[in-house]
Amino acid sequence: MNASKPPQEGYASFGANKTWYRVTGDLQNGLTPLVILHGGPGCTYDTVDAFKDVAASGRAIIQFDHLGSGFSTRMVDKDPSFWTVELFLEELDNLLDHLRISQGYALLGHSWGGVLASEHAVLTPSGLRALIIANAPADMRTWEAETLRLREALPEEVRQVLIRHEQAGTLQSAESVQASQVYFERHVCRLRPWPEEVVQMFARGRCDSAMGGAAQRAEDFPLLGNLRDWSIVERLSRIQIPTLLISGRYDEATPTVVKPYLENIPDIRWALFESSSHMPHVEERVACMGTVVSFLDECL
């Protein structure tokens, strides 16, 4: 990577809307670039900002805010039916075309971004060279069941607070937020204190997917309601490219959650980070980046 080359930011027109993106590194150096898909839905690129470290290996990194989030066009008046997986797949294809990399790229998706990355991969686009699925579900019903199981393992007094505020619809109260923090510190990010990007993620209030009922989460970001019955398990065998699965020992994306990827994608390997939960790219940053670089160097 040309260390003197500053990151390049811009917008890709997407119909009447715009997708904000940032490129770290040189897209013209002959190495396959890596496109990063952030989580949520409703989070922003900076929750996975750490992956820009991969550019130190010489490979360009593209990060962007999904439509409706961050620096991309924000829309608060759309009908819930507007927010679909197909919309975000179209946005991704549009960005790849805008950057002129659709004939050769790798993809990394974290959490909801992993859902989107896997949906893109099962379409077998000719330019997709490698796939990294980080801390993501393959089936939303399984994800829901596992996060509820993890919540049941919280201290009894914490569980009762969460149940009381969920029933009352007061999940934003100070008491409820404090109780939710117990879950987040176990299963989302185990670092103390939290890095700034994690603090900001929760300050924005749109990424706390494990707490609260489905109705509340769907109100916060309608796509979550549309994804409630989503599953890709039966389509995963279509992915024939090298794939890396990332998860943490204490992850809300438990082994049960990620198991379908391991069982159904033919060319897949699993990196389990022993000191991490849902954000190994933050919790074990150096090791996670090294794993990603090694995988890409091996298969590209």
Side-chain angles (χ1 to χ4, degrees):
M1 181 181 70
N2 182 353
S4 65
K5 184 180 178 66
Q8 302 295 307
E9 298 182 2
Y11 288 90
S13 295
F14 179 48
N17 305 303
K18 291 185 176 181
T19 301
W20 175 89
Y21 65 86
R22 182 183 71 187
V23 179
T24 304
D26 185 1
L27 282 174
Q28 309 304 321
N29 66 4
L31 293 176
T32 303
L34 176 64
V35 181
I36 311 294
L37 304 176
H38 67 69
C43 291
T44 52
Y45 85 95
D46 47 348
T47 60
V48 285
D49 187 52
F51 285 112
K52 69 178 184 292
D53 293 359
V54 174
S57 69
R59 198 175 302 280
I61 305 301
I62 297 100
Q63 296 166 290
F64 69 102
D65 285 331
H66 300 169
L67 193 66
S69 301
F71 296 121
S72 294
T73 304
R74 306 289 291 270
M75 290 167 287
V76 295
D77 57 348
K78 294 292 186 181
D79 186 86
S81 62
F82 174 81
W83 302 103
T84 64
V85 170
E86 289 72 25
L87 171 71
F88 292 100
L89 289 174
E90 291 173 11
E91 182 188 27
L92 174 58
D93 286 340
N94 181 74
L95 180 62
L96 296 173
D97 289 340
H98 176 83
L99 294 173
R100 300 180 180 178
I101 60 172
S102 59
Q103 294 309 305
Y105 61 96
L107 202 57
L108 184 156
H110 175 255
S111 199
W112 141 248
V115 169
L116 187 57
S118 60
E119 282 281 4
H120 180 81
V122 299
L123 298 175
T124 63
S126 61
L128 182 59
R129 304 285 186 251
L131 176 66
I132 303 172
I133 301 170
N135 317 91
D139 179 278
M140 279 299 184
R141 292 290 183 179
T142 302
W143 171 273
E144 184 92 9
E146 283 295 279
T147 54
L148 288 175
R149 181 182 66 80
L150 294 175
R151 196 173 81 165
E152 286 298 307
L154 296 175
E156 177 64 20
E157 62 273 18
V158 173
R159 290 196 307 108
Q160 291 304 317
V161 169
L162 291 170
I163 291 170
R164 183 169 69 252
H165 286 285
E166 186 173 302
Q167 292 174 342
T170 53
L171 291 173
Q172 302 306 315
S173 70
E175 184 183 45
S176 178
V177 170
Q178 184 177 11
S180 297
Q181 189 72 11
V182 177
Y183 176 95
F184 297 140
E185 291 180 354
R186 287 188 179 192
H187 301 298
V188 177
C189 182
R190 295 171 70 85
L191 293 181
R192 304 293 183 275
W194 274 357
E196 183 61 26
E197 62 260 45
V198 181
V199 173
Q200 289 301 316
M201 179 176 75
F202 283 95
R204 295 185 186 99
R206 301 182 76 177
C207 301
D208 50 349
S209 60
M211 296 294 101
Q216 175 67 40
R217 297 197 302 279
E219 181 179 342
D220 290 339
F221 202 83
L223 178 60
L224 282 168
N226 298 339
L227 286 173
R228 191 170 188 191
D229 295 318
W230 175 86
S231 177
I232 202 169
V233 174
E234 299 302 320
R235 294 175 285 145
L236 288 174
S237 61
R238 301 176 191 173
I239 301 176
Q240 299 292 319
I241 57 172
T243 302
L244 171 66
L245 176 68
I246 291 173
S247 65
R249 172 65 66 187
Y250 306 99
D251 204 337
E252 57 183 349
T254 66
T256 299
V257 167
V258 302
K259 184 179 179 182
Y261 290 114
L262 295 168
E263 292 182 335
N264 293 283
I265 298 177
D267 185 6
I268 191 168
R269 61 230 68 183
W270 185 18
L272 178 64
F273 289 88
E274 294 291 344
S275 298
S276 294
S277 54
H278 197 55
M279 304 182 77
H281 59 281
V282 171
E283 296 165 285
E284 295 181 72
R285 183 167 178 161
V286 173
C288 184
M289 298 308 133
T291 298
V292 169
V293 169
S294 294
F295 167 72
L296 294 174
D297 286 349
E298 173 190 335
C299 64
L300 295 178

